[in-house]
Amino acid sequence: AQSVTQPDIHITVSEGASLELRCNYSYGATPYLFWYVQSPGQGLQLLLKYFSGDTLVQGIKGFEAEFKRSQSSFNLRKPSVHWSDAAEYFCAVGASQGTDKLIFGTGTRLQVFP
Amino acid sequence: SAVISQKPSRDICQRGTSLTIQCQVDSQVTMMFWYRQQPGQSLTLIATANQGSEATYESGFVIDKFPISRPNLTFSTLTVSNMSPEDSSIYLCSVARGVGADTQYFGPGTRLTVL
């Protein structure tokens, strides 16, 4: 069965520091992978997605993620965090291109100190 | 992307009552989904809303508790029936544009509190 693990429940970084949020998945075939962000009281916004091709994908707000099949990982990175990046981040895996359900990880809450 | 609205944005309800949540999209989409996000938890799919036919429910969710309608390609409703405090959650709809559509876009959510 598909599953997604986000090992870090809560991460705190200083503004301007680099960031890496971890995501590991379990899926038998080629996964479709997503990162979403949820700001307090808001819905989910898509940051980036991976379906195939270049394993390093660029997203909005300066985020990027790298798909590593050998490690079953899809970690999210940002070189310099801004205070406005404080939010909940969810990694998700889909069985097909948007026509099937998404399996979400438990989320990582990011706190940014000035 | 798609512009998705949900009504109401939040509500406080009494135990035993029902609430219907609406999801409206600014253009036609093939797939619509309903998710639940319990306090401090991740998202769990409740069901896929099928246009013109009964919704497809995930394990642990039943039609009597969460009846869903989808009368056309831009609109769906989710009803939370006979509510209990355990139903207090954020309910989100998501959409995907068409066959081969590659991304689900989410609405802003409905925050439900049951007293």
Side-chain angles (χ1 to χ4, degrees):
Chain A
Q2 297 167 262
S3 66
V4 177
T5 302
Q6 292 180 250
D8 305 305
I9 296 173
H10 187 200
I11 285 182
T12 301
V13 300
S14 299
E15 191 170 20
S18 63
L19 173 70
E20 182 169 28
L21 302 183
R22 295 183 291 166
C23 173
N24 294 96
Y25 67 89
S26 173
Y27 186 60
T30 301
Y32 300 95
L33 296 160
F34 306 83
W35 275 100
Y36 288 88
V37 60
Q38 185 177 37
S39 298
Q42 304 293 314
L44 270 70
Q45 182 182 22
L46 178 71
L47 284 176
L48 48 79
K49 60 193 178 189
Y50 172 78
F51 291 138
S52 64
D54 193 345
T55 56
L56 183 64
V57 294
Q58 302 296 320
I60 63 171
K61 304 185 179 186
F63 285 94
E64 66 177 26
E66 186 170 12
F67 171 61
K68 293 185 177 180
R69 184 186 299 275
S70 61
Q71 299 178 19
S72 297
S73 69
F74 189 56
N75 294 345
L76 182 71
R77 301 194 294 249
K78 186 169 185 178
S80 178
V81 172
H82 188 264
W83 65 266
S84 61
D85 293 324
E88 187 93 21
Y89 291 80
F90 291 97
C91 181
V93 60
S96 64
Q97 291 181 296
T99 58
D100 205 345
K101 66 181 179 182
L102 294 178
I103 304 297
F104 282 84
T106 51
T108 297
R109 180 166 297 279
L110 174 65
Q111 191 170 9
V112 181
F113 281 117
Chain B
S1 64
V3 178
I4 306 164
S5 61
Q6 285 186 232
K7 291 181 181 179
S9 58
R10 60 178 61 228
D11 207 342
I12 301 173
C13 300
Q14 296 297 318
R15 181 196 300 260
T17 62
S18 298
L19 176 72
T20 295
I21 302 168
Q22 299 179 2
C23 177
Q24 179 75 55
V25 193
D26 66 338
S27 57
Q28 293 185 347
V29 293
T30 299
M31 307 297 292
M32 296 184 78
F33 307 88
W34 286 98
Y35 288 82
R36 181 177 72 182
Q37 185 179 23
Q38 294 178 299
Q41 304 293 316
S42 187
L43 283 78
T44 301
L45 181 67
I46 297 172
T48 302
N50 300 310
Q51 195 249 337
S53 64
E54 192 172 286
T56 304
Y57 290 84
E58 296 298 307
S59 176
F61 298 96
V62 295
I63 187 171
D64 290 346
K65 177 66 177 178
F66 297 102
I68 288 171
S69 78
R70 189 176 172 193
N72 56 51
L73 294 177
T74 63
F75 185 79
S76 177
T77 66
L78 168 74
T79 299
V80 186
S81 303
N82 188 25
M83 288 184 286
S84 67
E86 292 70 34
D87 294 319
S88 297
S89 298
I90 299 174
Y91 293 85
L92 299 104
C93 72
S94 74
V95 306
R97 285 219 167 273
V99 176
D102 58 3
T103 302
Q104 287 187 31
Y105 298 96
F106 284 81
T110 296
R111 184 178 295 272
L112 171 62
T113 301
V114 184
L115 302 177

